[in-house]
Structure formats: structure tokens, C-alpha cells
Amino acid sequence: MNSELNIDSSKLALEIEKLRKVSKDLEDILNKLKNENSILYDNWETRTSEQVFFDFDMFYKELETIKKTNDNDANFLQNVVNNSYVQFETNTNKLVDNNIAI
């Protein structure tokens, strides 16, 4: 392990929660947009509306991709970095405690 690397698992946990909140907020906004636009879709039927609804669908796909990326990043940090580092900290603390007791 690189001796220059220092990970504060409690700070990392806070950042993971912030990322999850961003993802949740994005999901809420996306759902609200879809609901509002479904009302519009039911009441506006023209050639122009077809293009607008197509553009909305493309926009939704972009937001869903961003949300999926955020979720994957948060899961990666939680499962790999955080869990591995917490395990490393626990093992190191046990080793130190055992050697101090000797």
C-alpha cells in the first residue's frame, strides 16, 4: 500500500451519502418531469409536440444515465473502497492493540 495514501473512512462515508442524495434528488426531479410532461402529452398533439416529446425522451435518457453512473460510483465506493479500507483499519488496529498488549 502506498504510504502517501490516506483515506479517512468517515469522510468517505459522508461523501458517499452526498452522492446518494444527489442521485435521489435527480430521480425525484426526473419523476416530476415525467409526470408533468405526461399531462402535457395528453393535451398537446401537433407536429411540433412530437419533436418536443422526442427531445424530452432523449433528455430523460441522459438523466437516467447520469443517475445510473452516480449509483454505480456510490456502490463502488461503498463496497470496494470503504469496506476494504474499514477492514484494513480494523486489522491494523487489532494488530497494534495486540502488539501493545505484549
Side-chain angles (χ1 to χ4, degrees), residues 60-101:
Y60 298 151
K61 287 178 184 176
E62 287 295 319
L63 289 180
E64 289 166 349
T65 299
I66 292 168
K67 184 191 175 312
K68 184 177 179 180
T69 299
N70 284 353
D71 291 342
N72 288 340
D73 289 350
N75 289 336
F76 170 79
L77 290 171
Q78 187 72 48
N79 293 325
V80 177
V81 178
N82 195 17
N83 289 340
S84 296
Y85 197 76
V86 168
Q87 185 63 42
F88 176 76
E89 283 178 330
T90 302
N91 291 343
T92 301
N93 289 340
K94 283 181 185 177
L95 183 61
V96 168
D97 289 344
N98 290 339
N99 286 328
I100 288 175

